[in-house]
Amino acid sequence: MTELTDEQRDAVTAPAPFTLYACPGAGKTHVIQARHLADPPALLRGGRALLSFTQVASEEIRSRCVTAGRPDMVNHPHFVGTLDGFLWQFLVRPYLPSGTEWRRLDSWARLPAAKTSIRIGSDVIDLNEVPFTLDHHGRETIRFDIAATSVIQKIGDDADVRREWQRRALRVRNGLRGQGYLTGHDVRQLARRYLQTRPDDVLPPVRSRFREVVVDEAQDCSRTDLFLLDALHGAGVPLILVADPDQAIYAWRDADPTSLQQLSAKLGPPMRLTRNHRSSPVICSLAATLRSGGRPADTAAGPHAAEGTPVVILPTTFSTSRRGLGQDQPQHTTSERPITEVFTELAAQESIAPADCVITAERRADLPGGSSRSWTSENPATLLARAWRTVRAPHASAAALQEAARAAAYRLTAYWYPTTKDSLETISTRHRLPLRTALRHGYALLHHLPAPTSTWTAQVNTAVQAWPAPADATPNSRTGLLRGEPTVPRPSPAGLGTLGVRIDNVHQLKGSEADAVLLLLPSNDAVRRWRHGDAAHDGTLRNWYVAVTRARRLLGVAVPDVLTHDLQVLLSAAGTPHRVHLGEPVGLW
């Protein structure tokens, strides 16, 4: 998609401030780029800040500008980067006390557990597990309502006990802050403090440099983020928020659609992108049943606008486990076959290859072979092998790609600077190696490496030793090289790894798409929730909305057999074409 539609052109030329509500597949990144590149070379005080939530998303905008022959649009006076980076560079770092080596971390998990442990008696909780937030008065509190189940089990629900955990968590955090460590939450707290106590210092440089600040994926902003953006707006900095509130799926990060709506109202009448260049009309029709406000379905306008493949309802048994294969696989009720096999065969009837199929669910535990493993729970060799596979996945999320690059970048820096075991951010700061540069090296290394095998470690170490190093690198023999062997996945049952089907939870699919998507809904309450829930207040419905809008051509919904009829009734009432698949494929419908 290169030409602008009328809706897109209006969004490119409209004066700030405003909110741009963009439906899935609306080409919002194309619009942001077009708006940015429409400017002539910027004057000294005519910059624009383009803010995303991941380095990968920022790199995409940077790459588009360079490819378009406008590298000037990524340099001063412009800023193309993350919201965290913007807050740090312009609202916090210049005003921090001198005499301390300040180090910004994306997570307390980047520090050794011994530094971040919170203890009461024999119970231990890691600081990284504590979801801090700021209330409307700027006071720090712990959001116990969004804390992990394992944390709540240790803390319990006694108010006095929770206050004691909060007091001790703040003591540990304050100790680390005294050593110069800051996470994104700390940066936001300090930004809020400086905006309130030093506005005459903080605001003039921002107003002077930027004539516009554009925040992409604004529905993911926390309440604190929105407070800070509101303060910039109130100080006269023109804002553009690009958002789809129905895709606000990060409530556990304190994202708040209501606060977004309140800020949006201050920016004046919103603009909308309602033409979906990704999905078929059938998929647009089903998606409309999941979102808030009762708005009509978006207009299918892309290459699949004339297609009408019905939604496939797959009656499914979710309690069956395929013992001996190492996978927990939901079964198609009538054929008693793995649901993944059945769906990929249905996709094949539409000439969709398994590699362009996605199986998803809200929780990782509900997926075939589901688990809750994190990047940090694997040994270094297995973690790097996982990173290798991630960068080759056809639709890996921006967050997953960034974690993959980080794993490889850390392996390189651990070899280059063997005297430190600090986080990648700390190594980057100490050796003046820009984090963006380190991540680029990580991406390049992963693409250079061969496929993981049982003898992969030696190949990795050879590549690391030969990799071009910074001038101040001081590698020391084999210190920092990879040890151990990666766990190479065993061949999976048909329909899983052997077919190349992507299987991931909804949060990892954000920003990606596929020709065929199967959403697993194992709860017996799913259809009732779908029919009577309000996505404005129900994050689960928004998760389902994100899942179904990843699909371009074919959408499947797997539900317990007892819900099949109810889902048919719901979709019939919405006028969404659908069919129930009861047996073996018998050809196209």
Side-chain angles (χ1 to χ4, degrees), residues 57 89 128 398 498 517:
Q89 184 170 333
N128 191 54
T498 56
V517 172

Side-chain angles (χ1 to χ4, degrees), residues 3-76:
E3 297 299 321
L4 294 171
T5 66
D6 290 341
E7 282 183 336
Q8 292 172 334
R9 191 175 295 107
D10 290 343
V12 167
T13 58
F18 62 89
T19 301
L20 178 63
Y21 290 118
C23 74
K28 61 182 179 60
T29 303
H30 184 53
V31 169
I32 294 171
Q33 174 201 8
R35 184 179 181 91
H36 194 43
L37 295 182
D39 293 347
L43 300 176
L44 178 62
R45 301 179 186 276
R48 176 184 285 110
L50 302 181
L51 310 182
S52 305
F53 277 88
T54 67
Q55 291 283 3
V56 173
S58 299
E59 285 298 327
E60 181 180 357
I61 289 290
R62 287 176 169 272
S63 176
R64 291 187 182 208
C65 290
V66 172
T67 301
R70 295 293 303 277
D72 58 295
M73 302 305 285
V74 301
N75 298 317
H76 190 279

Side-chain angles (χ1 to χ4, degrees), residues 30 44 77 118 130 147 158 215 248 276 279 291 296 304 343 362 372 379 408 411 418 422 465 480 490 545 556 584:
H30 184 53
L44 178 62
I118 309 163
V130 177
D158 182 87
V215 183
N276 186 325
S279 303
R291 65 188 183 190
H304 308 297
F343 185 67
E362 182 177 23
S372 57
N379 72 63
R411 183 51 45 204
D422 285 323
Q465 289 171 311
R490 294 178 298 171
Y545 178 79
E584 298 299 324

Side-chain angles (χ1 to χ4, degrees), residues 51 136 140 145 158 181 214 217-218 235 261 289 302 316 335 346 352 368 371 374 475 519:
L51 310 182
H136 293 296
E140 284 187 292
D145 58 317
D158 182 87
Y181 294 107
V214 182
E217 303 286 3
Q261 188 177 40
T289 69
T316 303
S335 69
L346 293 172
I352 299 173
S371 72
S374 67
L519 173 62

Side-chain angles (χ1 to χ4, degrees), residues 12-353:
V12 167
T13 58
F18 62 89
T19 301
L20 178 63
Y21 290 118
C23 74
K28 61 182 179 60
T29 303
H30 184 53
V31 169
I32 294 171
Q33 174 201 8
R35 184 179 181 91
H36 194 43
L37 295 182
D39 293 347
L43 300 176
L44 178 62
R45 301 179 186 276
R48 176 184 285 110
L50 302 181
L51 310 182
S52 305
F53 277 88
T54 67
Q55 291 283 3
V56 173
S58 299
E59 285 298 327
E60 181 180 357
I61 289 290
R62 287 176 169 272
S63 176
R64 291 187 182 208
C65 290
V66 172
T67 301
R70 295 293 303 277
D72 58 295
M73 302 305 285
V74 301
N75 298 317
H76 190 279
H78 305 294
F79 177 86
V80 181
T82 63
L83 177 61
D84 284 75
F86 177 85
L87 297 176
W88 170 252
Q89 184 170 333
F90 298 105
L91 301 186
V92 174
R93 184 63 187 93
Y95 312 104
L96 288 171
S98 59
T100 298
E101 181 184 356
W102 295 99
R103 289 157 288 190
R104 180 167 63 97
L105 309 175
D106 64 346
S107 166
W108 292 121
R110 303 300 173 193
L111 294 178
K115 286 188 172 185
T116 58
S117 295
I118 309 163
R119 297 176 181 273
I120 292 183
S122 60
D123 289 328
V124 181
I125 294 175
D126 192 86
L127 190 61
N128 191 54
E129 299 177 300
V130 177
F132 280 113
T133 189
L134 299 176
D135 65 17
H136 293 296
H137 302 287
R139 295 181 298 235
E140 284 187 292
T141 60
I142 294 176
R143 285 285 306 275
F144 290 105
D145 58 317
I146 60 174
T149 302
S150 58
V151 172
I152 296 302
Q153 288 174 343
K154 291 181 181 179
I155 292 177
D157 56 6
D158 182 87
D160 291 335
V161 174
R162 289 188 172 190
R163 278 192 290 270
E164 178 62 16
W165 276 107
Q166 180 168 292
R167 187 183 68 80
R168 296 199 183 199
L170 284 170
R171 186 171 64 189
V172 172
R173 194 286 312 276
N174 290 342
L176 293 171
R177 185 183 287 187
Q179 298 173 43
Y181 294 107
L182 299 172
T183 64
H185 167 77
D186 300 291
V187 169
R188 284 160 171 77
Q189 185 202 33
L190 291 170
R192 178 170 181 147
R193 178 191 302 173
Y194 293 151
L195 281 170
Q196 291 176 325
T197 62
R198 304 179 60 175
D200 294 339
D201 294 327
V202 175
L203 290 170
V206 178
R207 282 197 301 258
S208 176
R209 176 166 171 174
F210 300 112
R211 60 185 176 83
E212 187 171 286
V213 174
V214 182
V215 183
D216 192 15
E217 303 286 3
Q219 75 276 355
D220 294 337
C221 288
S222 69
R223 284 179 287 187
T224 303
D225 293 336
L226 294 169
F227 173 89
L228 299 173
L229 294 173
D230 193 0
L232 293 179
H233 168 67
V237 178
L239 284 183
I240 297 177
L241 305 181
V242 183
D244 180 359
D246 294 307
Q247 294 191 63
I249 62 174
Y250 294 111
W252 49 278
R253 294 183 186 171
D254 207 19
D256 183 17
T258 301
S259 296
L260 173 64
Q261 188 177 40
Q262 292 170 348
L263 176 56
S264 177
K266 297 180 181 181
L267 304 184
M271 306 190 72
R272 295 187 181 275
L273 299 178
T274 61
R275 296 172 65 83
N276 186 325
H277 298 267
R278 174 189 301 156
S279 303
S280 72
V282 173
I283 295 168
C284 291
S285 173
L286 181 139
T289 69
L290 284 167
R291 65 188 183 190
S292 59
R295 289 177 284 120
D298 299 315
T299 302
H304 308 297
E307 297 183 13
T309 303
V311 173
V312 183
I313 300 174
L314 291 161
T316 303
T317 302
F318 288 94
S319 58
T320 300
S321 176
R322 290 170 66 93
R323 303 296 180 188
L325 291 174
Q327 303 287 347
D328 295 322
Q329 176 70 306
Q331 306 292 294
H332 183 226
T333 302
T334 54
S335 69
E336 297 185 353
R337 298 173 60 213
I339 197 69
T340 308
E341 291 182 7
V342 174
F343 185 67
T344 52
E345 289 180 3
L346 293 172
Q349 296 180 40
E350 298 293 329
S351 301
I352 299 173

